[in-house]
Amino acid sequence: MNRPDSPSDPSDPPHWGPRPPQQPQPHPPPRRRRRWPWVLLGLLLLLLGGCTALFAVFVDEVSEEAARPARITYAATGTASGVAITYSTWRDGNLSTSQVSDRALPWTEELTTKGFVKGGSLVVTLGPDGGTATCSVTVDDDPPVTATATGPLASAVCDGF
């Protein structure tokens, strides 16, 4: 005989009263998206943009400097006579060299040049009679580069301007 409180199948647990209501299964929490790849991408884009801007400023500065004309004044003063004067200047990317021989002092030459490299040199070489000579090179309104030589066949060299 079957009792209402006895299990009909021996493997079923006994039921003592009403079953509790079935709770819906909780959904797993939504998977969080990783943010670090997006942050890394943003930082990379900022770095790339900064490098591009810095490069553009650098190119603009170099272009302006290459187009800017410069006034170079070469001068030689002193007591020597019969000096040899050699001067060179970068003009539009080419080195231009000139020489004056057996010259009395004082002597000056002014040039205007442009290009990224504007420097050059001035060499004043005294003759066998010696004396004193001072070379001087002024670029625009910058302080002059000077050097002095004394004695026979001595040379005053002004460069690095």
Side-chain angles (χ1 to χ4, degrees), residues 139-161:
V139 178
D140 293 331
D141 295 324
D142 293 343
V145 174
T146 61
T148 302
T150 304
L153 305 176
S155 294
V157 179
C158 293
D159 59 4
F161 52 91

PDB file of all heavy atoms in Angstrom, residues 139-161:
ATOM      1  N   VAL A 139      79.110  88.122 -37.251  1.00  0.00           N
ATOM      2  CA  VAL A 139      77.918  87.641 -37.951  1.00  0.00           C
ATOM      3  C   VAL A 139      76.731  88.405 -37.383  1.00  0.00           C
ATOM      4  O   VAL A 139      76.453  88.334 -36.182  1.00  0.00           O
ATOM      5  CB  VAL A 139      77.729  86.121 -37.767  1.00  0.00           C
ATOM      6  CG1 VAL A 139      76.466  85.661 -38.472  1.00  0.00           C
ATOM      7  CG2 VAL A 139      78.942  85.366 -38.262  1.00  0.00           C
ATOM      8  N   ASP A 140      76.055  89.145 -38.282  1.00  0.00           N
ATOM      9  CA  ASP A 140      74.935  90.009 -37.899  1.00  0.00           C
ATOM     10  C   ASP A 140      75.383  90.914 -36.751  1.00  0.00           C
ATOM     11  O   ASP A 140      76.354  91.634 -36.898  1.00  0.00           O
ATOM     12  CB  ASP A 140      73.691  89.190 -37.558  1.00  0.00           C
ATOM     13  CG  ASP A 140      73.124  88.489 -38.791  1.00  0.00           C
ATOM     14  OD1 ASP A 140      73.289  89.016 -39.900  1.00  0.00           O
ATOM     15  OD2 ASP A 140      72.527  87.403 -38.633  1.00  0.00           O
ATOM     16  N   ASP A 141      74.692  90.865 -35.612  1.00  0.00           N
ATOM     17  CA  ASP A 141      75.060  91.715 -34.482  1.00  0.00           C
ATOM     18  C   ASP A 141      75.649  90.905 -33.333  1.00  0.00           C
ATOM     19  O   ASP A 141      75.692  91.380 -32.191  1.00  0.00           O
ATOM     20  CB  ASP A 141      73.825  92.485 -33.996  1.00  0.00           C
ATOM     21  CG  ASP A 141      73.312  93.457 -35.052  1.00  0.00           C
ATOM     22  OD1 ASP A 141      74.163  94.043 -35.764  1.00  0.00           O
ATOM     23  OD2 ASP A 141      72.084  93.636 -35.183  1.00  0.00           O
ATOM     24  N   ASP A 142      76.100  89.683 -33.614  1.00  0.00           N
ATOM     25  CA  ASP A 142      76.704  88.846 -32.581  1.00  0.00           C
ATOM     26  C   ASP A 142      78.073  89.402 -32.191  1.00  0.00           C
ATOM     27  O   ASP A 142      78.695  90.133 -32.963  1.00  0.00           O
ATOM     28  CB  ASP A 142      76.868  87.402 -33.077  1.00  0.00           C
ATOM     29  CG  ASP A 142      75.535  86.710 -33.307  1.00  0.00           C
ATOM     30  OD1 ASP A 142      74.508  87.204 -32.798  1.00  0.00           O
ATOM     31  OD2 ASP A 142      75.521  85.686 -34.007  1.00  0.00           O
ATOM     32  N   PRO A 143      78.578  89.035 -31.019  1.00  0.00           N
ATOM     33  CA  PRO A 143      79.935  89.457 -30.652  1.00  0.00           C
ATOM     34  C   PRO A 143      80.949  88.874 -31.643  1.00  0.00           C
ATOM     35  O   PRO A 143      80.786  87.753 -32.121  1.00  0.00           O
ATOM     36  CB  PRO A 143      80.149  88.859 -29.257  1.00  0.00           C
ATOM     37  CG  PRO A 143      78.798  88.494 -28.766  1.00  0.00           C
ATOM     38  CD  PRO A 143      77.926  88.292 -29.965  1.00  0.00           C
ATOM     39  N   PRO A 144      82.002  89.606 -31.950  1.00  0.00           N
ATOM     40  CA  PRO A 144      82.964  89.128 -32.948  1.00  0.00           C
ATOM     41  C   PRO A 144      83.827  87.985 -32.413  1.00  0.00           C
ATOM     42  O   PRO A 144      84.086  87.880 -31.228  1.00  0.00           O
ATOM     43  CB  PRO A 144      83.820  90.365 -33.239  1.00  0.00           C
ATOM     44  CG  PRO A 144      83.701  91.202 -32.015  1.00  0.00           C
ATOM     45  CD  PRO A 144      82.336  90.942 -31.459  1.00  0.00           C
ATOM     46  N   VAL A 145      84.287  87.151 -33.351  1.00  0.00           N
ATOM     47  CA  VAL A 145      85.279  86.115 -33.067  1.00  0.00           C
ATOM     48  C   VAL A 145      86.610  86.730 -33.473  1.00  0.00           C
ATOM     49  O   VAL A 145      86.753  87.207 -34.601  1.00  0.00           O
ATOM     50  CB  VAL A 145      84.984  84.834 -33.882  1.00  0.00           C
ATOM     51  CG1 VAL A 145      86.093  83.819 -33.698  1.00  0.00           C
ATOM     52  CG2 VAL A 145      83.640  84.259 -33.504  1.00  0.00           C
ATOM     53  N   THR A 146      87.590  86.731 -32.561  1.00  0.00           N
ATOM     54  CA  THR A 146      88.870  87.385 -32.845  1.00  0.00           C
ATOM     55  C   THR A 146      90.039  86.479 -32.507  1.00  0.00           C
ATOM     56  O   THR A 146      89.910  85.558 -31.699  1.00  0.00           O
ATOM     57  CB  THR A 146      89.021  88.692 -32.041  1.00  0.00           C
ATOM     58  OG1 THR A 146      88.984  88.386 -30.659  1.00  0.00           O
ATOM     59  CG2 THR A 146      87.924  89.690 -32.381  1.00  0.00           C
ATOM     60  N   ALA A 147      91.177  86.779 -33.151  1.00  0.00           N
ATOM     61  CA  ALA A 147      92.444  86.108 -32.847  1.00  0.00           C
ATOM     62  C   ALA A 147      93.566  87.055 -33.267  1.00  0.00           C
ATOM     63  O   ALA A 147      93.399  87.868 -34.179  1.00  0.00           O
ATOM     64  CB  ALA A 147      92.552  84.775 -33.579  1.00  0.00           C
ATOM     65  N   THR A 148      94.716  86.918 -32.595  1.00  0.00           N
ATOM     66  CA  THR A 148      95.859  87.794 -32.878  1.00  0.00           C
ATOM     67  C   THR A 148      97.092  86.951 -33.135  1.00  0.00           C
ATOM     68  O   THR A 148      97.305  85.926 -32.479  1.00  0.00           O
ATOM     69  CB  THR A 148      96.105  88.757 -31.695  1.00  0.00           C
ATOM     70  OG1 THR A 148      94.913  89.519 -31.484  1.00  0.00           O
ATOM     71  CG2 THR A 148      97.258  89.694 -31.967  1.00  0.00           C
ATOM     72  N   ALA A 149      97.923  87.430 -34.082  1.00  0.00           N
ATOM     73  CA  ALA A 149      99.197  86.767 -34.393  1.00  0.00           C
ATOM     74  C   ALA A 149     100.304  87.812 -34.380  1.00  0.00           C
ATOM     75  O   ALA A 149     100.103  88.956 -34.782  1.00  0.00           O
ATOM     76  CB  ALA A 149      99.130  86.090 -35.750  1.00  0.00           C
ATOM     77  N   THR A 150     101.478  87.406 -33.911  1.00  0.00           N
ATOM     78  CA  THR A 150     102.640  88.296 -33.854  1.00  0.00           C
ATOM     79  C   THR A 150     103.861  87.525 -34.323  1.00  0.00           C
ATOM     80  O   THR A 150     104.067  86.385 -33.934  1.00  0.00           O
ATOM     81  CB  THR A 150     102.859  88.804 -32.414  1.00  0.00           C
ATOM     82  OG1 THR A 150     101.667  89.432 -31.963  1.00  0.00           O
ATOM     83  CG2 THR A 150     104.005  89.783 -32.339  1.00  0.00           C
ATOM     84  N   GLY A 151     104.677  88.177 -35.173  1.00  0.00           N
ATOM     85  CA  GLY A 151     105.934  87.569 -35.586  1.00  0.00           C
ATOM     86  C   GLY A 151     105.939  87.183 -37.041  1.00  0.00           C
ATOM     87  O   GLY A 151     104.900  87.162 -37.706  1.00  0.00           O
ATOM     88  N   PRO A 152     107.123  86.860 -37.563  1.00  0.00           N
ATOM     89  CA  PRO A 152     107.233  86.495 -38.978  1.00  0.00           C
ATOM     90  C   PRO A 152     106.481  85.199 -39.287  1.00  0.00           C
ATOM     91  O   PRO A 152     106.564  84.227 -38.548  1.00  0.00           O
ATOM     92  CB  PRO A 152     108.728  86.305 -39.195  1.00  0.00           C
ATOM     93  CG  PRO A 152     109.408  86.783 -37.968  1.00  0.00           C
ATOM     94  CD  PRO A 152     108.397  86.906 -36.892  1.00  0.00           C
ATOM     95  N   LEU A 153     105.723  85.243 -40.372  1.00  0.00           N
ATOM     96  CA  LEU A 153     104.963  84.091 -40.894  1.00  0.00           C
ATOM     97  C   LEU A 153     103.947  83.502 -39.912  1.00  0.00           C
ATOM     98  O   LEU A 153     103.510  82.356 -40.074  1.00  0.00           O
ATOM     99  CB  LEU A 153     105.908  83.000 -41.397  1.00  0.00           C
ATOM    100  CG  LEU A 153     106.930  83.454 -42.440  1.00  0.00           C
ATOM    101  CD1 LEU A 153     107.873  82.317 -42.778  1.00  0.00           C
ATOM    102  CD2 LEU A 153     106.241  83.973 -43.675  1.00  0.00           C
ATOM    103  N   ALA A 154     103.555  84.263 -38.902  1.00  0.00           N
ATOM    104  CA  ALA A 154     102.530  83.813 -37.940  1.00  0.00           C
ATOM    105  C   ALA A 154     101.154  83.978 -38.586  1.00  0.00           C
ATOM    106  O   ALA A 154     100.964  84.778 -39.501  1.00  0.00           O
ATOM    107  CB  ALA A 154     102.620  84.611 -36.646  1.00  0.00           C
ATOM    108  N   SER A 155     100.173  83.215 -38.085  1.00  0.00           N
ATOM    109  CA  SER A 155      98.800  83.287 -38.618  1.00  0.00           C
ATOM    110  C   SER A 155      97.784  83.508 -37.501  1.00  0.00           C
ATOM    111  O   SER A 155      97.873  82.857 -36.464  1.00  0.00           O
ATOM    112  CB  SER A 155      98.447  82.001 -39.370  1.00  0.00           C
ATOM    113  OG  SER A 155      99.218  81.859 -40.523  1.00  0.00           O
ATOM    114  N   ALA A 156      96.857  84.387 -37.746  1.00  0.00           N
ATOM    115  CA  ALA A 156      95.701  84.579 -36.862  1.00  0.00           C
ATOM    116  C   ALA A 156      94.521  83.878 -37.549  1.00  0.00           C
ATOM    117  O   ALA A 156      94.226  84.146 -38.715  1.00  0.00           O
ATOM    118  CB  ALA A 156      95.414  86.053 -36.661  1.00  0.00           C
ATOM    119  N   VAL A 157      93.852  82.988 -36.827  1.00  0.00           N
ATOM    120  CA  VAL A 157      92.774  82.173 -37.408  1.00  0.00           C
ATOM    121  C   VAL A 157      91.477  82.463 -36.638  1.00  0.00           C
ATOM    122  O   VAL A 157      91.406  82.245 -35.426  1.00  0.00           O
ATOM    123  CB  VAL A 157      93.091  80.668 -37.355  1.00  0.00           C
ATOM    124  CG1 VAL A 157      91.943  79.874 -37.935  1.00  0.00           C
ATOM    125  CG2 VAL A 157      94.395  80.375 -38.053  1.00  0.00           C
ATOM    126  N   CYS A 158      90.463  82.929 -37.354  1.00  0.00           N
ATOM    127  CA  CYS A 158      89.140  83.143 -36.780  1.00  0.00           C
ATOM    128  C   CYS A 158      88.183  82.152 -37.452  1.00  0.00           C
ATOM    129  O   CYS A 158      87.941  82.246 -38.660  1.00  0.00           O
ATOM    130  CB  CYS A 158      88.668  84.562 -37.040  1.00  0.00           C
ATOM    131  SG  CYS A 158      89.623  85.829 -36.191  1.00  0.00           S
ATOM    132  N   ASP A 159      87.660  81.230 -36.690  1.00  0.00           N
ATOM    133  CA  ASP A 159      86.661  80.296 -37.215  1.00  0.00           C
ATOM    134  C   ASP A 159      85.701  79.936 -36.097  1.00  0.00           C
ATOM    135  O   ASP A 159      85.806  80.445 -34.992  1.00  0.00           O
ATOM    136  CB  ASP A 159      87.302  79.058 -37.821  1.00  0.00           C
ATOM    137  CG  ASP A 159      88.156  78.270 -36.842  1.00  0.00           C
ATOM    138  OD1 ASP A 159      88.210  78.628 -35.656  1.00  0.00           O
ATOM    139  OD2 ASP A 159      88.783  77.291 -37.267  1.00  0.00           O
ATOM    140  N   GLY A 160      84.771  79.083 -36.375  1.00  0.00           N
ATOM    141  CA  GLY A 160      83.792  78.673 -35.363  1.00  0.00           C
ATOM    142  C   GLY A 160      82.681  79.688 -35.179  1.00  0.00           C
ATOM    143  O   GLY A 160      82.099  79.768 -34.113  1.00  0.00           O
ATOM    144  N   PHE A 161      82.369  80.440 -36.188  1.00  0.00           N
ATOM    145  CA  PHE A 161      81.294  81.426 -36.080  1.00  0.00           C
ATOM    146  C   PHE A 161      80.073  80.955 -36.845  1.00  0.00           C
ATOM    147  O   PHE A 161      80.113  80.024 -37.585  1.00  0.00           O
ATOM    148  CB  PHE A 161      81.734  82.796 -36.576  1.00  0.00           C
ATOM    149  CG  PHE A 161      82.342  82.797 -37.933  1.00  0.00           C
ATOM    150  CD1 PHE A 161      81.543  82.982 -39.049  1.00  0.00           C
ATOM    151  CD2 PHE A 161      83.697  82.626 -38.108  1.00  0.00           C
ATOM    152  CE1 PHE A 161      82.116  82.990 -40.311  1.00  0.00           C
ATOM    153  CE2 PHE A 161      84.268  82.646 -39.363  1.00  0.00           C
ATOM    154  CZ  PHE A 161      83.481  82.821 -40.473  1.00  0.00           C
TER     155      PHE A 161
END
